[in-house]
Amino acid sequence: MIDIEVETNKVVKYIRSRNTITFGFIKYYYFKRLIFHITQNNNNYELRKVFLNLVDNDYIIRKKNNLINSYLYIYR
């Protein structure tokens, strides 16, 4: 089991250093791939926990996609 806070801090540092703010609104899938790339952890449950921690701490904002029943996310 990983430490969620440590992994979240790694992700935030990487996103800030790579200037991924310019991505705009993207699907969860792309954030999942980015988190996997940073943490080198392929456990979907732990990747989702890190992502939800980012959302809870207001690093990522979610927006409802009105065309289909899904959400888009943006790093702020």
Side-chain angles (χ1 to χ4, degrees), residues 17-75:
S17 70
R18 299 291 293 184
N19 197 17
T20 56
I21 297 169
T22 60
F23 286 175
F25 283 97
I26 57 177
K27 294 181 178 183
Y28 164 72
Y29 171 77
Y30 298 110
F31 276 110
K32 178 181 163 186
R33 298 291 298 165
L34 185 65
I35 295 168
F36 166 72
H37 173 73
I38 297 165
T39 62
Q40 296 298 313
N41 182 358
N42 62 356
N43 185 339
N44 287 329
Y45 175 75
E46 292 175 356
L47 294 175
R48 184 73 177 174
K49 293 278 287 183
V50 171
F51 177 77
L52 290 176
N53 194 16
L54 289 167
V55 172
D56 290 342
N57 292 329
D58 294 329
Y59 289 112
I60 296 176
I61 300 172
R62 115 179 152 162
K63 174 183 131 180
K64 177 94 167 115
N65 188 354
N66 292 331
L67 300 176
I68 55 177
N69 287 337
S70 67
Y71 290 96
L72 297 175
Y73 303 93
I74 190 170
Y75 180 83

Side-chain angles (χ1 to χ4, degrees), residues 3-19:
D3 185 11
I4 302 300
E5 291 300 321
V6 171
E7 298 301 323
T8 301
N9 289 335
K10 270 202 257 184
V11 171
V12 169
K13 287 179 186 176
Y14 182 84
I15 289 175
R16 286 186 180 156
S17 70
R18 299 291 293 184
N19 197 17

